[in-house]
Amino acid sequence: MATLFDLLSKGGPVMIPMAGLSVVTVSCALERAWFWFQLLRGEDRIAHDVLDAARYSLDDARAIAARFQSLPIGRFLLAPLQLNRPTPETFRLAMEAAGDQEFVQMRKGDKLLETIVALAPLLGLLGTVTGLISTFTNLNIGGGSSGADTSKAAAGIGEALIVTATGMVVAIIALAAFRVFVTLQSKQIDYFSKIGSELEVIYRHVWYESGVLNGDRHSTVADPVTSSHK
């Protein structure tokens, strides 16, 4: 801890906002990591349970999705299933609207990390300039520099290097976290699209086109087959 405070003091006044940026970066990265851990944990099993149930009973599929509505995949699949006998177009629109809302939550923190990636190197550059100004101010060229002047000049150079390095480290961490989260978002969008398409096909083929929804919604998968031969 003492070493950290020494580093902050040697980095000059620019290290104060730089320290704030580093705390914000780590906090945002940890919060997003926890979000994605909860999102991805058991997601595939939940999705396939809903799809399997939807082939036999929409009520069972809706119940499974409702049990996991604390997770994005549960809310995404529950949105169309809780509608009362929708058309396929309405069914798809409900999924798309729910998906858009979940993707907004997935992108949370992106703008903050992008800002830190751009701002941290600029603060490092500012620290470099202020450090060099301090160096040249304390360097009495041609006037016979004393040992104290030389120490102050060296401290100015050290300040410039410390702030520059810190700015680069903070920007690298923020950029790495940002790229990881963007990759996860892209994969999640593709996954939601795939699962949503499968659920829509099941709804359209098994329930809507077979005419089961014109009768009892609690019918099993055998009912569409029976009704189609009438």
Side-chain angles (χ1 to χ4, degrees), residues 24-93:
V24 171
T25 300
V26 174
S27 300
C28 181
L30 291 177
E31 188 274 332
R32 290 287 86 191
W34 177 246
F35 169 84
W36 283 104
F37 173 76
Q38 290 183 309
L39 187 152
L40 298 175
R41 184 180 58 180
E43 179 185 57
D44 196 57
R45 176 182 57 81
I46 296 169
H48 283 89
D49 286 348
V50 172
L51 293 178
D52 291 340
R55 294 182 174 92
Y56 300 92
S57 171
L58 292 179
D59 289 337
D60 290 348
R62 183 173 66 252
I64 295 173
R67 192 161 68 246
F68 295 100
Q69 61 181 318
S70 61
L71 298 176
I73 189 66
R75 294 190 293 269
F76 172 70
L77 296 176
L78 179 62
L81 290 172
Q82 65 185 358
L83 299 177
N84 183 25
R85 301 180 181 180
T87 64
E89 290 74 18
T90 304
F91 193 88
R92 184 179 66 254
L93 287 174

Side-chain angles (χ1 to χ4, degrees), residues 206 210-212 219-230:
V206 177
S210 63
V212 173
S219 302
T220 63
V221 75
D223 296 319
V225 178
T226 303
S227 62
S228 64
H229 291 297
K230 289 182 179 181

Side-chain angles (χ1 to χ4, degrees), residues 166-184:
T166 304
M168 293 175 64
V169 170
V170 172
I172 289 171
I173 294 174
L175 179 60
F178 172 74
R179 294 308 306 172
V180 169
F181 297 145
V182 167
T183 301
L184 291 174

